[in-house]
């Protein structure tokens, strides 16, 4: 049992080992990918709370079911204006952004 505990690493150490230390190119790429993943999860959770299918959300937002699916599952290459329209018109919400420098 003691041997197993010595193999445990913290989450930060795991991320540092797998993606590099903060500030490295590989770590920045990981963090950007994680942010786009979070956008997809947030949209999916909001859609489900509103009891909407992907198709219903797409119709309300003036886009396609395929585009909604891409956002929820990949979230890459999202136009900000489209994302805002999905949130505003499709979900009845608003988007708030933060900029960390």
């Amino acid at each position: 049992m003691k041997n197993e505990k010595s193999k445990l690493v913290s989450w930060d150490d795991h991320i540092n080992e797998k993606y590099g230390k903060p500030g490295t190119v590989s770590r920045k790429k990981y963090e950007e990918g994680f942010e786009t993943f979070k956008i997809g999860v947030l949209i999916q959770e909001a859609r489900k709370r509103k009891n909407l299918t992907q198709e219903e959300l797409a119709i309300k937002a003036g886009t396609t079911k395929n585009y909604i699916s891409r956002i929820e599952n990949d979230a890459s290459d999202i136009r900000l204006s489209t994302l805002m329209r999905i949130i505003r018109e499709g979900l009845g919400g608003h988007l708030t952004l933060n900029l960390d420098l």
Side-chain angles (χ1 to χ4, degrees):
M1 184 79 163
K2 189 173 187 172
N3 230 0
E4 288 179 26
K5 283 187 179 182
S6 66
K7 293 180 184 178
L8 295 176
V9 296
S10 72
W11 180 251
D12 288 337
D13 288 343
H14 169 73
I15 295 299
N16 287 343
E17 170 124 358
K18 187 161 177 92
Y19 300 104
K21 294 193 185 249
T24 61
V25 173
S26 59
R27 179 66 171 260
K28 286 179 184 178
K29 186 175 179 180
Y30 160 75
E31 289 170 348
E32 288 172 4
F34 187 68
E35 290 302 312
T36 59
F37 168 77
K38 287 193 316 189
I39 290 170
V41 169
L42 290 171
I43 294 294
Q44 184 179 52
E45 288 177 351
R47 175 181 61 76
K48 288 180 177 180
R49 276 195 312 270
K50 296 282 188 170
N51 294 314
L52 296 171
T53 65
Q54 288 180 341
E55 187 164 352
E56 290 168 333
L57 177 57
I59 290 167
K60 288 179 80 165
T63 189
T64 65
K65 177 190 177 295
N66 185 43
Y67 193 77
I68 299 297
S69 178
R70 266 189 30 231
I71 291 171
E72 290 182 0
N73 294 301
D74 186 353
S76 61
D77 297 327
I78 305 168
R79 289 189 57 153
L80 183 58
S81 60
T82 305
L83 179 61
M84 291 173 69
R85 190 175 71 243
I86 290 167
I87 294 168
R88 183 183 61 247
E89 295 174 20
L91 298 168
H94 68 277
L95 177 65
T96 303
L97 297 174
N98 288 327
L99 178 62
D100 295 328
L101 301 175

